[in-house]
């Protein structure tokens, strides 16, 4: 096995591991790598839909997305599609997946199916480091506070993405409160758990106080020193620990560069626990 670090902050590209080997020993090696590096990448993984699902199940039960339909024969797989003419990309701002749920996603297994020749990288930022490096005064202001996360409704997930199909839903918007500083259930490390896309308010503060404080925290957690960036190739797989990172699918599709190409990713998410 070879482990190549992607940046000084997080992320590692791994070679010499078989993702179809679901033995307890192999899964333990992969989980240990994931807890350590927060996001891990594997290239040239021509695995089937079922193999991707079976691998994901080794981490826990599969989570179905609240708003977007899965593939007809494999509903566990949410296909992220950017059509050639689209400039935008699903997940194109800093976020932690479904942080608006009461039990947000534990981890995601994302496989690239079709990749533009240039553009469409994904960035990740390390929220354990974000907490460790946060100003002490800010730490004291948020350590015992909770924040409200909101899903922003169905249209946010489907209206701007021609290739993404909506589910029928009874509730349009989900909201939940979570501790701003959560504890990783495996490593017991503290994690800064807010994100620009879904975190709307700090509970117990006025709107003005909350907006000002959140802006400072967002600015800190998005600092480039805390990030890594992955350039996709076809059949690459990323696994991220959705509790300890935020991520950003970069929609840099401009004329005569990345625009004019389709980008397709298959995403399987694993259910998480209630943040504490
Ligand atoms: C996501 O935000 O889950 C999508 C990431 C990507 O397509 O790179």
């Amino acid at each position: 096995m070879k482990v190549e670090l992607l940046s000084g902050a997080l992320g590692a590209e791994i070679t010499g591991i078989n993702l179809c080997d679901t033995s307890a020993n192999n899964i333990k090696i992969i989980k240990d790598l994931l807890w350590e590096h927060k996001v891990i990448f594997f290239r040239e993984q021509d695995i089937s839909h079922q193999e991707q699902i079976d691998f994901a199940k080794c981490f826990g039960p599969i989570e179905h997305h609240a708003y977007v339909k899965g593939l007809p024969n494999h509903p566990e797989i949410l296909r992220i599609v950017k059509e050639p003419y689209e400039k935008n990309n699903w997940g194109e701002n800093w976020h932690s997946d479904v942080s608006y749920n009461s039990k947000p996603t534990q981890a995601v297994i994302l496989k690239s199916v079709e990749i533009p020749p240039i553009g469409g990288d994904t960035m990740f930022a390390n929220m354990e480091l974000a907490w460790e490096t946060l100003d002490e005064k800010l730490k004291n202001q948020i350590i015992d506070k909770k924040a409200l996360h909101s899903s922003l409704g169905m249209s946010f997930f489907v209206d701007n993405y021609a290739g993404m199909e909506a589910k029928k839903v009874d509730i349009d918007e989900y909201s939940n409160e979570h501790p701003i500083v959560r504890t990783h259930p495996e490593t017991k490390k503290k994690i800064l758990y807010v994100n620009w896309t879904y975190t709307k308010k700090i509970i117990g503060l006025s709107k003005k106080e909350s907006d000002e404080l959140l802006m400072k925290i967002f600015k800190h957690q998005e600092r480039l020193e805390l990030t890594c960036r992955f350039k996709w190739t076809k059949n690459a797989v990323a696994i991220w620990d959705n509790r300890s990172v935020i991520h950003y699918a970069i929609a840099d599709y401009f004329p005569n560069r990345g625009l004019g190409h389709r980008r397709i990713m298959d995403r399987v998410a694993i259910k998480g626990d209630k943040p504490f």
Side-chain angles (χ1 to χ4, degrees):
M1 178 176 79
K2 196 165 147 212
V3 178
E4 277 180 278
L5 303 188
L6 249 79
S7 79
L10 80 164
E13 194 168 323
I14 317 287
T15 41
I17 283 210
N18 177 5
L19 298 186
C20 296
D21 173 1
T22 53
S23 66
N25 187 44
N26 200 43
I27 297 301
K28 177 166 180 348
I29 293 171
I30 295 170
K31 281 186 179 173
D32 287 346
L33 286 165
L34 184 60
W35 305 158
E36 181 180 352
H37 300 291
K38 320 279 186 285
V39 54
I40 50 181
F41 305 95
F42 304 81
R43 295 203 191 262
E44 290 169 32
Q45 300 293 322
D46 193 8
I47 56 174
S48 68
H49 292 329
Q50 196 54 53
E51 283 167 337
Q52 185 178 355
I53 295 164
D54 290 344
F55 175 65
K57 280 183 179 163
C58 297
F59 290 76
I62 303 297
E63 175 187 78
H64 292 255
H65 199 272
Y67 297 111
V68 181
K69 274 193 186 158
L71 291 179
N73 294 327
H74 295 92
E76 300 91 340
I77 296 184
L78 184 160
R79 180 156 276 196
I80 300 172
V81 181
K82 182 204 87 74
E83 296 293 1
Y85 54 87
E86 287 184 304
K87 161 71 186 79
N88 40 322
N89 196 115
W90 211 72
E92 63 193 293
N93 275 302
W94 284 114
H95 66 286
S96 168
D97 283 348
V98 307
S99 69
Y100 47 82
N101 279 352
S102 62
K103 295 178 177 177
T105 313
Q106 177 205 136
V108 174
I109 320 280
L110 188 69
K111 175 174 176 274
S112 50
V113 177
E114 198 173 326
I115 290 296
I118 187 76
D121 297 356
T122 307
M123 290 193 72
F124 297 85
N126 182 339
M127 291 304 103
E128 195 182 298
L129 266 186
W131 170 250
E132 281 171 18
T133 55
L134 190 66
D135 176 84
E136 285 301 322
K137 198 170 147 225
L138 278 179
K139 277 187 175 173
N140 289 330
Q141 280 177 283
I142 59 172
I143 182 78
D144 293 322
K145 295 238 174 336
K146 284 188 165 189
L148 180 74
H149 296 240
S150 160
S151 66
L152 312 172
M154 166 73 83
S155 65
F156 177 77
F157 293 91
V158 286
D159 281 4
N160 292 319
Y161 311 104
M164 312 287 289
E165 210 186 323
K167 273 183 179 169
K168 277 202 169 38
V169 289
D170 297 329
I171 301 171
D172 187 49
E173 189 165 347
Y174 299 89
S175 294
N176 275 286
E177 293 175 11
H178 298 305
I180 296 182
V181 187
R182 71 180 286 187
T183 305
H184 194 284
E186 311 290 336
T187 64
K188 312 295 177 217
K189 296 275 192 179
K190 288 203 178 338
I191 301 162
L192 188 59
Y193 194 65
V194 290
N195 65 87
W196 182 87
T197 303
Y198 302 127
T199 311
K200 296 298 153 198
K201 192 177 183 311
I202 299 179
I203 308 301
L205 299 188
S206 69
K207 177 163 173 12
K208 183 169 175 295
E209 286 170 325
S210 166
D211 285 351
E212 284 173 6
L213 197 47
L214 279 177
M215 278 310 139
K216 285 184 193 163
I217 304 171
F218 295 153
K219 205 169 159 203
H220 172 76
Q221 74 177 169
E222 296 166 7
R223 280 169 47 199
L224 295 182
E225 301 92 300
L226 302 178
T227 68
C228 71
R229 177 170 175 154
F230 186 65
K231 182 160 184 49
W232 292 95
T233 42
K234 189 178 170 175
N235 288 333
V237 169
I239 310 174
W240 67 84
D241 179 349
N242 190 57
R243 301 158 299 194
S244 353
V245 303
I246 53 173
H247 60 284
Y248 190 130
I250 305 176
D252 55 344
Y253 310 111
F254 295 104
N256 307 318
R257 306 274 293 184
L259 193 64
H261 303 274
R262 186 171 276 118
R263 181 180 185 271
I264 300 181
M265 314 291 278
D266 281 348
R267 172 188 180 278
V268 181
I270 299 130
K271 280 187 183 167
D273 301 320
K274 197 166 167 49
F276 59 90

